[in-house]
Amino acid sequence: MQQKLLAQIATALESRSEISLSELIEIYPIDCGMEEVVEYLEIAHQPPHTIDDEVKDSIDVANVLQDSQMKTTMPRIVFRRQA
């Protein structure tokens, strides 16, 4: 799954230098539940990406296999293009 998410991030960053997770999931909605959120967090811990604990974003999380949907609040994640 991480390779798929990295590819989505790279595609989104082709036309801009940075994108927040909340903006990214407007393009590529989360559909694998919290497992996908955890993968995004793992990616965000790698430079040049950042996690801002002082700003919170509300995101929609769906799990199509379990036919469930939820909303969660988490620190702002910003993915940045490699320099």
Side-chain angles (χ1 to χ4, degrees), residues 26-79:
E26 288 178 21
I27 304 167
Y28 303 106
I30 293 175
D31 59 7
C32 294
M34 290 306 290
E35 177 184 352
E36 193 168 344
V37 174
V38 170
E39 289 289 337
Y40 276 124
L41 282 167
E42 288 183 16
I43 294 168
H45 276 93
Q46 303 166 21
H49 313 305
T50 58
I51 300 172
D52 185 347
D53 290 323
E54 295 186 20
V55 180
K56 304 296 181 196
D57 286 330
S58 181
I59 62 169
D60 294 317
V61 179
N63 187 321
V64 293
L65 294 177
Q66 296 179 356
D67 192 29
S68 66
Q69 180 117 9
M70 65 180 276
K71 189 174 278 287
T72 189
T73 302
M74 58 189 300
R76 173 156 302 155
I77 293 174
V78 178
F79 299 107

Side-chain angles (χ1 to χ4, degrees), residues 4-20:
K4 171 187 155 189
L5 301 181
L6 287 168
Q8 291 174 346
I9 293 166
T11 299
L13 291 175
E14 286 176 358
S15 61
R16 57 199 302 174
S17 61
E18 64 181 42
I19 188 167
S20 69

